Amino acid sequence: MSQATFHIAVIGCGHWGPNHIRTFSAFPEARVVAAADVSRQNLERVGRAYPGLALFEDYRRMLAETDIHAVVISTPTNTHHAIVRDALLADKHVLVEKPLCRTAEEGEELVTLATERNRLLMVGQVFLFNRGILKLKEYLQFGDLGRIYTMVSTRTNLGPIRKDVNAVYDLASHDIAIFDFLTGATPIEVSASGAAYLQPGIEDLAFITLRYPNDLLAHVHVSWLNPRKVREITVVGDRKMLVWDDLATIGPLCIYDKGVIREPYYEDYGQFQLLAREGDISIPRIQLEEPLKAQARYFLDGLRRGSLTVSDGKSGLAVVRTLEAIQASLAQRGAPIVISRTKPA
């Protein structure tokens, strides 16, 4: 695109949508021109905060505006497919909050449609723009940790409890996207156990195991029923180990110079003794930035370039396929589910 200023519209002005309005409004190359929400109260609130916005209760009327280049969709997950589809058909570029949609079939349609209409489709996986996660990826790319054995994530809090999706779609979608981003791969197989204590049929906690290529094992614990808010990932390599803690006050990353070494067991030269090796702990200095701002900048850069390499529709679809497999495993009380990455014939 050659326009000096990109006109942005936001669909969904409840909890997260106003943050998108604030973030995009801070960039000189972007102008938020319209907002849509089914709630008149939400519209009046953003209208007071951002005078001059065109406000719509029906997003379809807003999409008919020809001066809108891209839309940001921040609505309940079960509405994503229809709204993204309508936006693409209206020839708008799209940034939609995670997850892309509910099912792989819906995702296939959206990715295909974006390609056919030559529109950008990006999924709002904000943790992929977290400076701590980006630094962690650097360590993995340069092999500082050695061969990676396991990755374990914990994402818990007491609420907020949603009614449209379970804790897997709400929380684990973050960690699946992070693991895919860090490894450059997608899971081969998943198994999951969970429980729905507060609302029938909507799991409020789950324990998920993901098997990646090269025998890398990942585990995800998500819960709306936990007294502590935790956002943490542990990566175990054969040379070093690393912990990312998004809530840490002294720095999000701690690198542990720890590992397991093989020492000859001299009574029998054919055997080895496995010993823990203790080393220093280092906390790298990381210049922090609001991830939502970094994500918005990347989307605007993508509009200029005409392409995306991070968190595009295809990677969002891969996450949805994994989520579907997790749901199948939950329904079968933890049975392993092989993930198909191809569209059924």
Side-chain angles (χ1 to χ4, degrees), residues 247-289:
L247 305 179
T249 56
I250 59 174
L253 289 184
C254 284
I255 303 168
Y256 296 80
D257 189 11
K258 292 186 175 184
V260 176
I261 57 176
R262 290 172 175 260
E263 288 287 349
Y265 184 61
Y266 291 106
E267 291 183 6
D268 184 342
Y269 287 100
Q271 295 183 359
F272 290 86
Q273 186 177 17
L274 297 177
L275 300 175
R277 176 181 58 79
E278 297 286 342
D280 294 333
I281 300 173
S282 60
I283 302 175
R285 188 172 184 176
I286 298 174
Q287 187 68 39
L288 298 180
E289 179 188 29

Side-chain angles (χ1 to χ4, degrees), residues 115-128:
T115 301
E116 291 174 348
R117 309 290 288 200
N118 196 27
R119 300 293 97 178
L120 296 187
L121 173 58
M122 180 175 173
V123 181
Q125 290 287 358
V126 71
F127 281 94
L128 303 188

